[in-house]
Amino acid sequence: TATTEIYTQAFVGSVRCVQETGINAEYMGIKSMSREDNVYFAKLAEQAERYDDMVKHMKDIVAANAELSNEDRNLLSVAYKNWIGSRRTAWRAIAAIEQKEEAKGSKYLELLRKYKTKIEDEVEKISNDINDLLDKYLIPKATTPESEVFYMKMKGDYGRYYAECVTGDKNQAAGKKANEAYKKATEKAASLPATNSLRLGLALNYSVFFYEIMNSPKEACKMAKAAFDGAIGDLESLDDEQYKESASIMQLLRDNLTLWTADEAEEEAPKDKEDVKDLQPQNNLFIDKIIHN
């Protein structure tokens, strides 16, 4: 019939369209997307805040087995950080509710704890997912100090995120792996200028690791202060863009130092972790003032 013919022509036209554009790897199942297509759709998914889709496109780029560009690395970081971010936020909310329910002997404690465990499992899955990419593709292919530091820092960050959510042996194992990755990243970063934003961001996140996971405020302060003092003298020599990036991270370092030294001076219990500032990639830049990321 005429109607059937119209629908058939429309379908053929759709197939031809996706064949020409490559917009079909997952959606139409006709052929794989090109690198360019995956980058485009990763950015599109970011704008739509569909970070699980963004992750899938970035994984396809990584699996192509080529070294990532600076833009690619930042897209990968944004994808995974936001994908895991909602779980971390959920876990903190549930953990706070758990304390209140426990205090009043709530009958829902068992169900609540099962739900919290479900979130912990999701955090672990995402952490394992990015670590597989790092170990199998990204770290072996890194050819510059910047890329090596970037990937080892990521490895440390995701170990820390999982360690936040668990206790006992799991916490210790995750913390140990995170510390090893951060340590290797710090050794590699020694070849970068003290004002380098990646080196400063690593010092920021590593110091947060010591404060939150290792419960070592003195070591956290020592590391943050060393990074801040090492960069402050050469900050004015940077161009405007570099200055903006580095100065923003240094402000976070200083904010944390103020918080942590106040804790020590007043001999109080550590401040709520929600106050601690750490670096989060956002809009493909390493500049942020997001609290506790």
Side-chain angles (χ1 to χ4, degrees), residues 141-277:
K141 289 287 182 179
T143 58
T144 66
E146 287 84 358
S147 58
E148 288 181 290
V149 172
F150 188 99
Y151 297 138
M152 293 308 300
K153 174 184 170 292
M154 278 191 84
K155 196 170 180 67
D157 286 341
Y158 284 83
R160 171 165 63 91
Y161 301 153
Y162 180 53
E164 289 173 349
C165 300
V166 292
T167 58
D169 291 343
K170 289 184 177 180
N171 173 273
Q172 291 182 7
K176 182 180 179 181
K177 289 181 180 179
N179 190 35
E180 290 172 353
Y182 279 137
K183 186 176 180 181
K184 288 181 181 178
T186 301
E187 291 170 356
K188 293 287 184 181
S191 64
L192 303 177
T195 53
N196 180 277
S197 59
L198 179 57
R199 179 173 173 174
L200 287 168
L202 169 62
L204 175 66
N205 286 15
Y206 199 4
S207 64
V208 170
F209 168 80
F210 274 108
Y211 185 81
E212 293 190 348
I213 306 303
M214 303 299 288
N215 295 314
S216 181
K218 288 185 179 180
E219 188 64 30
C221 289
K222 179 181 176 182
M223 183 173 293
K225 187 176 188 303
F228 185 93
D229 291 346
I232 192 67
D234 296 326
L235 200 59
E236 295 297 332
S237 65
L238 302 177
D239 63 36
D240 288 346
E241 183 178 351
Q242 292 174 328
Y243 181 93
K244 183 180 178 182
E245 291 183 12
S246 298
S248 296
I249 299 169
M250 290 174 70
Q251 181 62 54
L252 299 180
L253 284 165
R254 187 166 63 178
D255 290 347
N256 283 349
L257 276 169
T258 300
L259 179 71
W260 296 339
T261 53
D263 283 347
E264 189 175 358
E266 297 172 12
E267 295 184 351
E268 296 177 343
K271 289 283 192 292
D272 190 325
K273 291 179 181 179
E274 293 291 332
D275 295 332
V276 176
K277 297 181 180 180

Side-chain angles (χ1 to χ4, degrees), residues 10 17 32 38 69 145 204:
C17 177
S32 297
N38 274 310
S69 67
L204 175 66

